[in-house]
């Protein structure tokens, strides 16, 4: 996924004195408070962080409450979608005027009817409807399909909502693209190499079923599905952790330390 | 392309439309529009959520009719449609619940809002506490509700609960006249009576919610959340009157697991040295009152907890002996609270424990004598009159007493608590079969004062002819109405000690 990137940051996290007994936890909580919000200083949405406290010295601030600034080395996973990037998402809601998808299980994306290619016709019958391309009846977008779309606009003010478009080439339902799109299909190969564990397992499966009739490319598409599903699940777990911090809030209504 | 600024008037019409007047189909269409609008762009999301939350309560003019049967069905329908829309929005915009909880926080009914609005809002709000939405924000919603309950609770004074009905009318009239924008808190909740009614209504809603959680098998998860909330919000509230009964009811729904868990949870807080003194004392008061009053708690749980309390007291006494203690009662408040708890529990449960030989022997092995005759503590092995006697001394020593699970006085929600509640009149004691009318023990009754600043003695003769009320109020610290009318009382009438009991040896203050 183009929009995902890793970053390394040297931060100073200001911790309230009441947390001096467990600084690492306080720092982690501070950073967790930033999860899933767009941060200007990171130029993206923080998805995950890994933190190491550098040294054991911290500077105490002057002022009414003596916060102390802990120097922190952080590995950050950031999500920064930009216009014209190609993203993948799972379709959640379909309508004649719009397709709504979810990227990484957390971010909402909407594709309006103007940005859907004319060859896609909306069929309302059963299951919330689906879009079928009249040039190729196999190309179907329905609820639960994974689609590739390009980014038109990103709204960074609140929840990083994306307005997308299915007009540029190499966009549409991923299953269909993996079979019919000559340029896209090879990407699946490189996708397999990226996460080795899953790749190896699927390679073996493919060797077992090589005698089947199902096209080989479709199998690879299935592999790509697993990889993206894996990251989806990961992100959903991260979501749950972020929200569980709010339950921690109930336990300890600590005064929050100020941001770095 | 709709823009939020240019098309403000149009959007405003959509967002301020109350759905309560609409027919089913129109409502469906409108909610569908709202759902899709929310998914289209972030800028509409907040307004859409706000619109849905505003519809948690019926518009003002419907207030009077909302309890009628035909509206009840529609209300349920509307709630389920609102929940459906919110769930749909949460599916299409996964980060929406985060925004929703802030909106709900801002829109929560305030102390002085009218009862119907409060009850309606909280009922709809708690309906969100299931599925994915419940996992994400359920805990926070429940916490908000408990905060509201507690706030109402502390605004009730005893006067208002016990006072005659004729006062109610006046308060009701004045509340209706109040403009909803009036935010002068002091004036608004003058009738603690009004607060009591609102609290009563909300307790019904929360109990129903817990009941439905139990039916869907979600009680233990909910209970974990409740425990945390209780710890943070209710435990340390000074003289919380009724809000804590939420825990009582939750425990009654699953006595073996939740019921036991609560008792152990409280005992743990009491025994942990790291906890602050107020929490510890409050916890031990809670466990005493809980074990005494909760019918669903088994005798062996009671004995188990008693053992822990006694062990703690013994350790404390030993330690005091070692270091050479000071005799100032103020330094040993936690110890006195726990002794008192032990005696209180035994007053209620001793007889029932005696029926089990193994528990009986466990009990007899506990060094009550050592604790109660310890120089720190002037009490003898307790018979109920001794407890009363101890209360008197505790009052002199200015010990603050608090039995959280004293008889529940709110009328509407009483039906949830009554089946599980042990009234003193029903307790079998070890010295007699029934202590109801025995003059000797007539002193052991309701109106023991809380804070020791009162020398007013209580009048045993209740004005009411209701004997049931009389016997039910025994062994409770709910102040009697005559407390507030000292003139009416015979100032010489005191709590007299039965002659056969030795005079107590109180430490000089």
């Amino acid at each position: 996924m183009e929009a995902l990137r890793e970053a390394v940051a040297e931060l100073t996290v200001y911790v309230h004195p009441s947390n001096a007994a467990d600084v690492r936890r306080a720092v982690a909580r501070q950073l967790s408070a930033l999860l899933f919000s767009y941060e200007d200083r990171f130029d993206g949405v923080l998805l995950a962080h890994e933190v190491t406290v550098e040294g054991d010295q911290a500077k105490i601030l002057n002022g009414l409450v003596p916060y102390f600034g802990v120097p922190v080395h952080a590995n950050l996973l950031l999500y920064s979608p930009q216009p014209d990037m190609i993203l993948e998402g799972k379709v959640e809601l379909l309508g004649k005027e719009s397709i709504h998808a979810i990227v990484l299980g957390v971010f909402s994306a909407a594709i309006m009817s103007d940005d859907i290619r004319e060859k896609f016709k909306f069929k309302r019958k059963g299951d919330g409807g689906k879009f079928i391309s009249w040039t190729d009846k196999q190309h179907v977008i329905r609820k639960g399909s994974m689609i590739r779309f390009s980014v038109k606009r990103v709204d960074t003010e609140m929840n990083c909502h994306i307005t997308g478009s299915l007009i540029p080439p190499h966009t549409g339902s991923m299953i269909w693209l993996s079979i019919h799109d000559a340029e896209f299909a090879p990407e699946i190969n490189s996708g397999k190499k990226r996460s080795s564990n899953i790749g190896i397992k699927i390679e073996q499966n493919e060797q077992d079923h090589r005698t089947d009739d199902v096209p080989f490319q479709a199998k690879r598409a299935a592999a790509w599905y697993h990889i993206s599903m894996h990251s989806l699940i990961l992100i959903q777990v991260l979501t749950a952790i972020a929200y569980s911090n709010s339950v921690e809030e109930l336990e300890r209504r600590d005064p929050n330390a100020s941001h770095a | 392309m709709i823009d939020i600024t240019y098309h403000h008037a149009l959007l405003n019409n959509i967002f301020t439309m109350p759905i309560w007047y609409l027919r089913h189909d129109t409502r469906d269409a409108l909610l569908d529009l709202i759902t899709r609008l929310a998914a289209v762009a972030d800028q509409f999301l907040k307004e859409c959520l706000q619109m849905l939350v505003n519809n948690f309560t019926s518009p003002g003019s419907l207030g009077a009719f909302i309890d009628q049967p035909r509206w009840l069905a529609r209300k349920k329908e509307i709630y389920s449609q609102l929940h459906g829309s919110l769930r749909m929005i949460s599916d299409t915009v996964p980060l929406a619940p985060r925004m929703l909880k802030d909106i709900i926080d801002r829109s929560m009914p305030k102390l002085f809002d009218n009862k119907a609005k409060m009850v309606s809002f909280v009922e709809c709000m708690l309906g969100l506490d299931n599925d994915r939405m419940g996992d994400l924000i359920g805990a926070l919603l429940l916490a908000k509700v408990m905060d509201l309950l507690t706030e109402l609770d502390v605004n009730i004074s005893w006067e208002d609960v016990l006072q005659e009905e004729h006062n109610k009318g006046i308060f009701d009239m004045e509340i209706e006249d109040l403009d909803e924008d009036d935010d002068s808190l002091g004036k608004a909740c003058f009738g603690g009576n009004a607060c009591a009614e609102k609290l009563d209504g909300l307790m019904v809603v929360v109990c129903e919610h817990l009941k439905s959680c139990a039916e869907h098998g979600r009680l233990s998860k909910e209970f974990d959340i409740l425990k945390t909330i209780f710890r943070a919000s209710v435990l340390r509230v000074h003289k919380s009157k009724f809000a804590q009964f939420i825990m009582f009811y939750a425990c009654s729904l699953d006595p073996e697991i939740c019921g036991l868990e609560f008792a152990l949870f409280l005992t743990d807080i009491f025994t942990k040295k790291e906890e602050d003194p107020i929490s510890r004392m409050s916890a031990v008061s809670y466990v005493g009152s809980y074990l005494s009053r909760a019918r669903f708690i088994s005798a062996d749980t009671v004995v188990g907890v008693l053992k822990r309390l006694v062990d703690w007291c013994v350790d404390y006494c030993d330690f005091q002996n070692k270091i050479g203690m000071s005799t100032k009662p103020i330094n040993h408040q936690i110890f006195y609270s726990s002794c008192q708890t032990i005696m209180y529990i035994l007053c209620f449960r001793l007889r029932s424990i005696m029926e089990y030989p193994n528990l009986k022997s466990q009990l007899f092995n506990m060094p009550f004598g050592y604790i109660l005759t310890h120089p720190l503590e002037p009490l003898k092995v307790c018979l109920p009159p001794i407890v009363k006697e101890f209360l008197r001394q505790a009052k002199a020593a200015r010990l603050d007493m608090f039995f959280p699970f004293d008889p529940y006085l709110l009328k509407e929600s009483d039906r949830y608590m009554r089946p599980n509640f042990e009234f003193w009149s029903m307790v079998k004691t070890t010295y007699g079969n029934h202590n109801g009318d025995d003059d000797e023990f007539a002193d052991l009754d309701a109106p023991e004062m809380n804070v020791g600043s009162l020398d007013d003695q209580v009048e045993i003769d209740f004005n009411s002819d209701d004997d049931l009320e009389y016997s039910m109020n025994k062994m409770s610290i709910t102040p009697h109405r005559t407390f507030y009318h000292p003139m009416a009382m015979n100032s010489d009438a005191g709590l007299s000690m039965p002659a056969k009991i030795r005079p107590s040896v109180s430490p000089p203050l």
Side-chain angles (χ1 to χ4, degrees):
Chain A
M1 174 111 38
E2 285 177 48
L4 282 176
R5 63 189 174 93
E6 272 190 61
V8 168
E10 303 291 332
L11 307 168
T12 308
V13 178
Y14 291 95
V15 176
H16 190 273
S18 63
N19 294 320
D22 194 347
V23 171
R24 209 188 169 282
R25 188 160 175 249
V27 164
R29 279 175 69 183
Q30 266 300 93
L31 279 174
S32 296
L34 301 177
L35 283 174
F36 300 112
S37 311
Y38 185 84
E39 285 288 320
D40 279 325
R41 49 195 151 190
F42 298 145
D43 201 22
V45 179
L46 181 64
L47 293 180
H49 59 82
E50 192 183 31
V51 154
T52 32
V53 176
E54 297 192 313
D56 48 7
Q57 301 278 331
K59 190 143 187 236
I60 301 177
L61 283 183
N62 286 326
L64 206 57
V65 182
Y67 285 93
F68 54 96
V70 182
V72 156
H73 176 91
N75 288 331
L76 308 169
L77 180 63
L78 297 169
Y79 168 72
S80 0
Q82 305 290 337
D84 296 329
M85 273 187 182
I86 304 281
L87 297 181
E88 291 95 23
K90 185 172 167 195
V91 174
E92 189 61 43
L93 187 65
L94 280 171
K96 190 149 170 264
E97 285 86 31
S98 58
I99 297 176
H100 300 280
I102 299 189
V103 179
L104 292 175
V106 167
F107 302 104
S108 53
I111 303 166
M112 309 311 291
S113 56
D114 293 340
D115 297 314
I116 303 174
R117 259 177 265 178
E118 279 181 15
K119 65 177 186 168
F120 278 107
K121 289 280 186 276
F122 181 68
K123 290 248 187 320
R124 202 177 289 273
K125 65 159 187 198
D127 269 1
K130 51 191 173 187
F131 277 91
I132 305 182
S133 162
W134 57 262
T135 50
D136 183 350
K137 289 274 188 288
Q138 304 276 329
H139 195 167
V140 175
I141 298 177
R142 54 163 68 90
K143 180 171 167 166
S145 308
M146 291 294 289
I147 56 169
R148 273 187 122 215
F149 57 92
S150 87
V151 178
K152 255 180 86 172
R153 201 167 53 246
V154 182
D155 181 1
T156 55
E157 263 196 50
M158 277 192 247
N159 294 326
C160 220
H161 179 86
I162 294 169
T163 312
S165 168
L166 282 175
I167 297 200
H170 315 300
T171 58
S173 155
M174 272 169 61
I175 277 201
W176 185 87
L177 287 171
S178 65
I179 303 170
H180 296 98
D181 192 324
E183 267 185 66
F184 176 61
E187 267 192 54
I188 299 174
N189 288 326
S190 58
K192 257 173 59 180
K193 281 191 190 122
R194 248 183 270 136
S195 67
S196 47
N197 288 345
I198 298 177
I200 290 168
K201 235 194 264 179
I202 292 168
E203 280 254 300
Q204 284 175 339
N205 280 339
E206 287 181 38
Q207 276 164 10
D208 290 339
H209 294 111
R210 212 163 264 258
T211 50
D212 284 358
D213 283 340
V214 182
F216 193 55
Q217 287 94 336
K219 282 277 179 191
R220 289 175 183 250
W224 222 102
Y225 259 86
H226 287 299
I227 294 165
S228 49
M229 280 299 145
H230 201 70
S231 57
L232 269 174
I233 292 165
L234 171 68
I235 299 305
Q236 276 163 353
V237 166
L238 289 170
T239 320
I241 292 169
Y243 275 99
S244 77
N245 281 334
S246 54
V247 176
E248 272 194 40
E249 283 298 312
L250 293 177
E251 295 173 9
R252 293 170 63 176
R253 294 187 174 169
D254 290 329
N256 279 325
S258 62
H259 288 314
Chain B
M1 191 57 200
I2 297 187
D3 182 271
I4 200 156
T5 337
Y6 293 129
H7 302 113
H8 176 77
L10 169 64
L11 288 169
N12 205 40
N13 269 330
I14 301 174
F15 291 137
T16 53
M17 204 179 296
I19 63 174
W20 288 72
Y21 296 119
L22 304 174
R23 278 179 41 223
H24 184 92
D25 302 333
T26 327
R27 233 184 291 140
D28 260 340
L30 178 60
L31 289 176
D32 194 47
L33 169 64
I34 295 284
T35 312
R36 284 175 188 273
L37 208 53
V40 156
D42 265 350
Q43 53 184 344
F44 301 130
L45 178 62
K46 191 160 150 234
E47 304 277 354
C48 291
L49 291 175
Q50 184 71 63
M51 183 264 186
L52 292 171
V53 170
N54 287 343
N55 276 294
F56 279 7
T57 55
S58 57
S61 50
L62 280 181
F65 310 110
I66 204 64
D67 286 323
Q68 290 173 5
R70 64 192 178 96
W71 273 105
L72 223 54
R74 185 186 275 217
K75 192 174 79 160
K76 291 263 177 285
E77 204 182 283
I78 290 178
Y79 284 172
S80 97
Q81 280 177 306
L82 286 170
H83 294 154
S85 296
L86 284 168
R87 208 174 304 132
M88 183 69 120
I89 294 180
S90 153
D91 284 342
T92 25
V93 186
L95 291 175
R98 200 164 56 168
M99 206 176 253
L100 179 63
K101 77 169 180 351
D102 290 334
I103 291 176
I104 290 182
D105 192 11
R106 274 199 304 273
S107 313
M108 278 286 285
K110 306 285 184 296
L111 195 60
F112 45 82
D113 284 331
N114 72 56
K115 177 178 170 182
K117 182 169 175 216
M118 258 191 199
V119 167
S120 181
F121 192 95
V122 171
E123 198 179 336
C124 199
M125 187 176 146
L126 287 177
L128 289 173
D129 187 14
N130 51 30
D131 300 337
R132 182 174 170 267
M133 186 90 80
D135 290 337
L136 292 173
I137 60 174
L140 288 153
L141 294 180
L142 209 53
K144 288 268 165 295
V145 173
M146 286 303 286
D147 281 344
L148 183 60
L149 290 178
T150 313
E151 209 186 331
L152 285 167
D153 195 313
V154 301
N155 274 293
I156 307 173
S157 63
W158 282 115
E159 245 172 338
D160 303 308
V161 179
L162 298 174
Q163 217 154 49
E164 292 300 325
E165 298 298 298
H166 67 264
N167 280 329
K168 218 168 127 182
I170 302 174
F171 292 137
D172 272 355
M173 238 165 47
E174 291 181 40
I175 285 173
E176 264 154 50
D177 287 347
L178 262 187
D179 191 20
E180 284 222 346
D181 294 333
D182 189 339
D183 61 351
S184 68
L185 269 167
K187 189 168 127 200
C189 203
F190 42 27
N193 224 332
C195 283
E197 270 185 43
K198 291 173 196 173
L199 179 61
D200 203 1
L202 287 182
M203 290 290 280
V204 171
V205 170
V206 181
C207 287
E208 282 296 335
H209 172 73
L210 288 176
K211 193 155 85 164
S212 107
C213 281
E215 281 160 16
H216 292 99
R218 279 182 292 121
L219 184 64
S220 53
K221 212 168 70 157
E222 201 80 346
F223 190 74
D224 282 335
I225 298 171
L226 273 177
K227 264 191 339 197
T228 317
I229 296 172
F230 173 81
R231 178 85 177 82
S233 308
V234 184
L235 181 67
R236 291 173 55 100
V237 172
H238 185 64
K239 305 290 167 58
S240 169
K241 294 169 204 71
F242 308 118
Q244 65 271 20
F245 274 87
I246 292 294
M247 297 304 293
F248 188 89
Y249 183 66
C251 291
S252 73
L253 290 170
D254 185 1
E256 273 102 55
I257 301 180
C258 298
L260 176 62
E261 215 179 298
F262 189 50
L264 297 177
F265 170 69
L266 291 167
T267 319
D268 286 339
I269 296 175
F270 163 66
T271 50
K272 237 195 266 187
K273 242 183 285 198
E274 293 86 25
E275 300 279 357
D276 64 285
I278 297 178
S279 297
R280 293 175 78 182
M281 285 197 286
S282 183
V284 80
S285 306
Y286 265 98
V287 82
S289 190
Y290 174 62
L291 291 178
S292 310
R293 299 293 191 167
R295 271 204 213 151
F296 47 86
I297 295 290
S298 63
D300 48 82
T301 307
V302 176
V303 171
V305 172
L306 268 177
K307 180 158 197 327
R308 282 182 69 181
L309 294 177
V310 168
D311 287 345
W312 186 90
C313 289
V314 167
D315 289 341
Y316 189 86
C317 292
D318 291 342
F319 182 69
Q320 292 301 317
N321 289 339
K322 209 162 68 166
I323 64 168
M325 66 203 170
S326 74
T327 48
K328 286 218 194 82
I330 198 81
N331 295 337
H332 306 291
Q333 277 186 327
I334 300 179
F335 174 69
Y336 290 134
S337 302
S338 65
C339 288
Q340 186 174 281
T341 292
I342 292 170
M343 290 189 292
Y344 192 76
I345 295 175
L346 288 173
C347 286
F348 278 83
R349 295 294 216 146
L350 191 56
R351 172 71 175 257
S352 62
I353 293 174
M354 295 298 203
E355 287 166 18
Y356 302 93
N358 62 326
L359 296 178
K360 184 169 155 185
S361 62
Q362 275 188 50
L363 202 67
F364 276 91
N365 283 332
M366 292 187 200
F368 293 113
Y370 172 56
I371 300 169
L372 296 173
T373 56
H374 191 272
L376 266 180
E377 179 47 64
L379 302 170
K380 322 302 185 280
V381 177
C382 57
L383 289 173
I386 301 288
V387 173
K388 177 207 69 179
E389 166 75 335
F390 173 80
L391 287 176
R392 221 165 122 204
Q393 295 178 23
K395 197 182 0 166
R398 287 185 175 73
L399 271 189
D400 209 12
M401 276 128 15
F402 174 41
F403 296 117
F405 293 113
D406 271 354
Y408 194 74
L409 297 171
L410 297 177
K411 298 189 178 61
E412 271 180 62
S413 40
D414 181 54
R415 65 181 193 269
Y416 293 97
M417 313 300 169
R418 188 169 284 238
N420 300 302
F421 193 83
E422 187 83 350
F423 289 101
W424 177 239
S425 60
M426 299 162 189
V427 173
K428 295 205 177 81
T429 56
T430 49
Y431 48 81
N433 281 332
H434 186 53
N435 60 339
D437 304 311
D438 198 329
D439 271 352
E440 184 177 327
F441 304 107
D443 292 323
L444 181 62
D445 62 4
E448 283 301 293
M449 297 310 119
N450 286 344
V451 181
S453 55
L454 309 158
D455 293 324
D456 297 321
Q457 288 310 311
V458 296
E459 196 62 54
I460 311 302
D461 310 319
F462 282 55
N463 293 333
S464 140
D465 291 334
D466 192 355
D467 285 338
L468 191 60
E469 189 191 329
Y470 164 68
S471 53
M472 277 202 243
N473 281 332
K474 284 189 173 182
M475 284 296 280
S476 142
I477 54 165
T478 309
H480 184 240
R481 64 195 70 176
T482 56
F483 156 51
Y484 296 97
H485 305 286
M487 303 292 277
M489 291 191 289
N490 181 0
S491 51
D492 290 334
L495 295 170
S496 53
M497 234 185 349
K500 53 172 93 162
I501 309 297
R502 278 178 286 151
S504 59
V505 182
S506 327
L509 283 175

